[in-house]
């Protein structure tokens, strides 16, 4: 429980475990962490980014919004390397725009 940040090290007794709230559990979800770190504009946007495999935790791409993030892994949440939001190749629309700009540049010359 302390690995996931639900309880402090001195709260590992049954009384503290029974007093856990759903709010604490929901705060540890990947969906919430992505939103709180500012990678997504809203909770719903965070869910879509995760389901479309744009988010990774460490080197592992995670596609489950309910993934419980450990406290040690919090700082490793980032865009995946092959995502257009990260350092990956441009997406479908960006490729179309670049092609149309290149075609318009050739016509002017």
């Amino acid at each position: 429980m302390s690995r996931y940040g639900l309880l402090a090290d001195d709260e590992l007794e049954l009384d503290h475990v029974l007093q856990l709230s759903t709010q604490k559990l929901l705060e540890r979800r990947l969906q919430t962490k992505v939103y709180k770190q500012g990678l997504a504009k809203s909770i719903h946007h965070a869910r879509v980014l995760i389901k479309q495999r744009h988010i990774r935790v460490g080197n592992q791409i995670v596609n489950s919004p309910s993934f419980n993030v450990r406290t040690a892994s919090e700082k490793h949440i980032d865009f995946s390397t092959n995502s257009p939001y990260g350092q990956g190749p441009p997406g479908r629309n960006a490729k179309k725009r670049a092609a149309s700009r290149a075609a318009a540049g050739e016509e002017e010359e």
Side-chain angles (χ1 to χ4, degrees):
M1 294 284 198
S2 61
R3 275 191 198 175
Y4 289 102
L6 297 173
L7 296 173
D9 290 333
D10 60 336
E11 296 178 341
L12 296 178
E13 298 173 359
L14 182 62
D15 292 335
H16 296 289
V17 173
L18 293 174
Q19 291 176 353
L20 278 176
S21 64
T22 56
Q23 188 66 27
K24 275 195 159 189
L25 290 171
L26 291 175
E27 287 292 322
R28 301 303 311 165
R29 287 170 52 108
L30 179 62
Q31 179 178 355
T32 308
K33 292 294 179 188
V34 168
Y35 171 65
K36 298 271 182 170
Q37 284 188 0
L39 297 175
K41 296 176 185 175
S42 69
I43 283 284
H44 303 290
H45 185 227
R47 185 175 190 88
V48 169
L49 287 176
I50 294 167
K51 288 302 284 182
Q52 292 178 353
R53 302 172 57 91
H54 291 290
I55 302 295
R56 67 183 166 122
V57 179
N59 291 329
Q60 185 70 36
I61 294 177
V62 181
N63 66 348
S64 175
S66 63
F67 178 79
N68 283 327
V69 180
R70 293 183 177 179
T71 52
S73 300
E74 274 185 51
K75 56 185 168 254
H76 301 294
I77 298 173
D78 198 12
F79 289 113
S80 66
T81 54
N82 59 355
S83 169
Y85 293 107
Q87 302 297 320
R92 179 178 57 91
N93 289 331
K95 287 179 187 176
K96 281 185 181 179
R97 273 188 250 119
S100 66
R101 287 181 188 152
E106 290 175 5
E107 290 175 5
E108 291 178 3
E109 292 178 6

